[in-house]
Amino acid sequence: MALSMLRSGLLFLCLTTIHTCNGGGQNCMDKHQVVGVLRQMEKFLKGQEMRFTEGLRIMKSKLATLQNSVSKLPQADQSAAPSVCPSLEAPVHGTKFGSKYFISHEVHFTCSHGYHLVGPGTRVCQENGSWSGVNTICKDVSECSSNPCQNGGTCVEGVNQYKCTCPQSWSGSSCQHQTQTAPPEWSVMNDPAFSRRPRCAKVDRAQHCSCDAGFHMSGTSDNSICQDVNECEVYRLDQGGKLCVYECVNVPGSYQCSCPRGYKLLPDGRSCEDVDECLTQQHNCSRGTTCINTGGGFQCVSPECPRSHGNISYVKTSPFQCERNPCPMESRSCHLAPKTVSFHYLSLPSNLQTPATLFRMATAAAPGRPGPDSLRFGIVGGNSRGMFVMQRSDRQTGELILVQGLRGPQDISVDVDMSEYSERTFQAKHVAKVHVLVSAYDF
């Protein structure tokens, strides 16, 4: 209606101008000028009409979209879909990781030492308000089934533990240490290196004899001798704990602590510390490889990028990082492949107390670009056999957690991935290949 009124007003103005000129007014336009003005007005009106029509079309489209969205909202008398799942309890003799029960959140389970997991180690809260998988239980396992006793030792079952009965000349929790050939008594006998003559003096016509520190008197008063005290054996028999962190060596009149190969004795005389062969240049790694220090030794590594296949190929950007080459726009498989692949090496002692956080994985947005609004973490490969769980620690970070004690020496690999999403749309995936190098010792 407004456009029609505008058109009528302009037409009235033109007719009035023509009529005035016909009446003999001055400054009148001729016929061609009037026709030109009318055509310009007609073009102007047509443009206004097109813009008006396009505005109406856009408003109708937005109104239809709004009506469609409102129609999908649940009615007051309809039961809304559940937004959380029921709470889950940790299995008996087990532990639960994760305390949020919202849709898409995960809960992880692990079992105490002496038990193994039966059922899924991870359950996901589904959109229908139920948990994926079945209930998880922890089943008792035989401690001796893994043959923990070395060098011919016999394994004896206990309550959630085992004990190794070691053959002669072997000792330790797993019969892993070779003992001395000295007799088991706290006094060293029948060895000239561990015997000394006493110091004697006559006092009031009576002879008094004494021994140096670390020796004791043995024999009769007429034929006495100073025998060495085996401090290592005395300390063990008194059940006072470990005199040395690794191994106690008896010497005449005293004792010394020793460390295994690849370790050095600390100034306290009883503790051992790993020798970093990589830092001290005591390795034999060739060019093109990288030295990785481990408990008691080292490894020379040169991780390789994934092999190229199809449109997917990688380039090594650092000794421990590979990045995917740009993908063709039409290749969906290439976009779903990991954008980055990184390599990590962790050196751990045996019997590390669990649970222990070993590795963190986080996202970082490029400057000026918004980061993902959600992340998903998971374990996608390796030979870890349920020894680890991967869970979110905050909005932008995930943690790899060791949940079972490890005995070395052994090399365990675990592959974890982090998927980035923006408005529930997949953006990119990153993979971290973690190698855990477990020492044979717990120090």
Side-chain angles (χ1 to χ4, degrees):
M1 180 179 290
L3 189 62
S4 177
M5 292 176 64
L6 178 61
R7 178 181 294 176
S8 300
L10 289 173
L11 182 60
F12 175 77
L13 178 62
C14 290
L15 292 176
T16 304
T17 302
I18 295 171
H19 177 74
T20 303
C21 287
N22 289 336
Q26 297 180 353
N27 299 326
C28 290
M29 295 183 294
D30 59 22
K31 179 179 179 181
H32 294 291
Q33 290 177 323
V34 172
V35 172
V37 170
L38 291 176
R39 286 179 179 175
Q40 288 180 356
M41 289 184 177
E42 185 177 10
K43 289 181 181 180
F44 173 76
L45 291 174
K46 284 184 179 181
Q48 293 296 322
E49 186 175 12
M50 290 177 64
R51 283 190 286 272
F52 184 76
T53 303
E54 179 65 16
L56 286 177
R57 186 189 67 78
I58 293 174
M59 290 181 64
K60 288 180 179 180
S61 175
K62 290 185 176 180
L63 182 61
T65 301
L66 181 60
Q67 289 175 340
N68 186 40
S69 299
V70 172
S71 64
K72 292 181 179 179
L73 294 175
Q75 300 297 325
D77 57 347
Q78 293 179 343
S79 58
S83 60
V84 297
C85 290
S87 62
L88 290 177
E89 299 297 330
V92 180
H93 305 298
T95 306
K96 180 189 69 174
F97 296 90
S99 58
K100 294 183 179 180
Y101 305 141
F102 298 104
I103 302 300
S104 298
H105 276 255
E106 299 178 354
V107 172
H108 308 276
F109 303 98
T110 183
C111 294
S112 304
H113 182 67
Y115 297 85
H116 74 275
L117 202 65
V118 178
T122 300
R123 300 184 71 181
V124 182
C125 182
Q126 303 175 112
E127 293 186 357
N128 60 3
S130 66
W131 292 99
S132 65
V134 296
N135 288 336
T136 299
I137 62 173
C138 292
K139 188 176 180 181
D140 188 15
V141 295
S142 171
E143 291 287 335
C144 293
S145 61
S146 60
N147 299 318
C149 301
Q150 307 172 23
N151 302 306
T154 303
C155 184
V156 180
E157 293 281 358
V159 180
N160 293 335
Q161 61 181 357
Y162 70 92
K163 182 178 181 181
C164 289
T165 302
C166 302
Q168 189 176 5
S169 75
W170 293 95
S171 65
S173 60
S174 301
C175 303
Q176 73 273 30
H177 303 314
Q178 190 168 13
T179 57
Q180 301 177 120
T181 58
E185 294 83 2
W186 57 266
S187 176
V188 179
M189 307 292 289
N190 304 321
D191 189 338
F194 291 84
S195 301
R196 295 181 181 178
R197 296 192 63 81
R199 297 190 308 268
C200 297
K202 284 187 177 181
V203 180
D204 295 334
R205 298 183 180 181
Q207 182 167 282
H208 295 272
C209 298
S210 63
C211 296
D212 294 333
F215 291 84
H216 75 100
M217 191 75 70
S218 177
T220 64
S221 58
D222 296 330
N223 188 23
S224 60
I225 191 170
C226 293
Q227 298 286 351
D228 175 65
V229 174
N230 188 338
E231 293 85 359
C232 302
E233 193 67 16
V234 170
Y235 206 81
R236 186 185 67 82
L237 294 174
D238 287 344
Q239 296 181 349
K242 275 189 170 185
L243 187 59
C244 298
V245 169
Y246 176 64
E247 188 174 90
C248 180
V249 180
N250 187 53
V251 296
S254 185
Y255 72 94
Q256 292 178 355
C257 294
S258 68
C259 296
R261 184 178 181 181
Y263 292 83
K264 62 182 179 181
L265 196 66
L266 290 178
D268 65 3
R270 61 180 301 271
S271 303
C272 297
E273 181 182 63
D274 175 54
V275 175
D276 191 337
E277 293 85 358
C278 302
L279 182 63
T280 57
Q281 298 296 315
Q282 300 179 40
H283 62 84
N284 57 358
C285 296
S286 60
R287 292 189 63 181
T289 64
T290 302
C291 179
I292 300 296
N293 186 60
T294 63
F298 63 92
Q299 285 190 12
C300 303
V301 302
S302 179
E304 297 293 336
C305 295
R307 292 184 178 180
S308 301
H309 60 279
N311 294 321
I312 306 171
S313 63
Y314 290 85
V315 61
K316 207 167 188 179
T317 55
S318 74
F320 300 103
Q321 178 89 8
C322 297
E323 293 188 11
R324 189 188 66 208
N325 286 314
C327 293
M329 291 297 295
E330 70 279 2
S331 178
R332 175 176 173 79
S333 61
C334 182
H335 288 285
L336 293 177
K339 187 175 182 181
T340 63
V341 179
S342 57
F343 302 87
H344 309 267
Y345 297 86
L346 308 178
S347 181
L348 299 182
S350 284
N351 302 316
L352 180 67
Q353 186 175 0
T354 58
T357 300
L358 303 184
F359 176 77
R360 287 184 172 87
M361 199 171 185
T363 184
R369 297 183 61 184
D373 52 30
S374 66
L375 299 173
R376 293 181 185 176
F377 298 93
I379 297 177
V380 294
N383 62 347
S384 57
R385 302 184 301 278
M387 299 174 182
F388 305 89
V389 297
M390 187 73 183
Q391 69 176 23
R392 186 194 309 270
S393 59
D394 57 39
R395 186 173 178 271
Q396 298 291 336
T397 308
E399 293 180 337
L400 179 66
I401 301 175
L402 175 66
V403 295
Q404 291 186 21
L406 302 176
R407 293 176 184 156
Q410 60 176 318
D411 187 348
I412 303 171
S413 64
V414 55
D415 298 345
V416 297
D417 75 346
M418 176 182 69
S419 297
E420 300 176 347
Y421 290 82
S422 179
E423 296 181 356
R424 298 188 177 182
T425 301
F426 175 81
Q427 300 295 317
K429 179 167 65 175
H430 306 272
V431 171
K433 293 181 173 291
V434 183
H435 295 266
V436 181
L437 312 172
V438 187
S439 168
Y441 310 102
D442 55 1
F443 50 80

